[in-house]
């Protein structure tokens, strides 16, 4: 709650291992509902951690479908 009440907070970088879903998509959904008030009012950018990328061959699928990053705008080739 203290982050939500800070009027100077404009954006946040999530540095990986967001939900610890480990391939279990309902856990991603629970995490999304828990973070909804915050993410609705703040710009966020997230970096994948090992739990989003390599755990049981998840290969970023759930992460990429939930967190669209501005790769085209930055000149990147993948999102």
């Amino acid at each position: 709650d203290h982050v939500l009440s800070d009027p100077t907070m404009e954006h946040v970088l999530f540095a990986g291992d967001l939900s610890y879903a480990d391939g279990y998509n309902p856990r991603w959904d629970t995490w999304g509902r828990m973070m909804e008030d915050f993410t609705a009012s703040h710009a966020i950018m997230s970096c994948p951690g090992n739990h989003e990328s390599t755990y049981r061959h998840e290969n970023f699928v759930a992460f990429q479908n939930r967190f669209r990053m501005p790769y085209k705008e930055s000149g990147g080739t993948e999102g």
Side-chain angles (χ1 to χ4, degrees), residues 1-63:
D1 288 338
H2 69 282
V3 174
L4 288 173
S5 64
D6 184 349
T8 64
M9 179 72 64
E10 294 178 4
H11 52 274
V12 172
L13 172 66
F14 289 126
D17 293 345
L18 305 178
S19 72
Y20 286 86
D22 296 332
Y24 182 64
N25 285 316
R27 191 169 295 143
W28 272 112
D29 298 335
T30 299
W31 186 87
R33 285 188 299 275
M34 180 182 76
M35 296 299 292
E36 187 173 18
D37 287 344
F38 182 79
T39 58
S41 59
H42 294 79
I44 66 163
M45 184 166 268
S46 51
C47 302
N50 63 309
H51 288 269
E52 287 84 33
S53 63
T54 57
Y55 190 86
R56 294 185 184 162
H57 308 288
E58 189 164 321
N59 296 325
F60 300 106
V61 173
F63 179 83

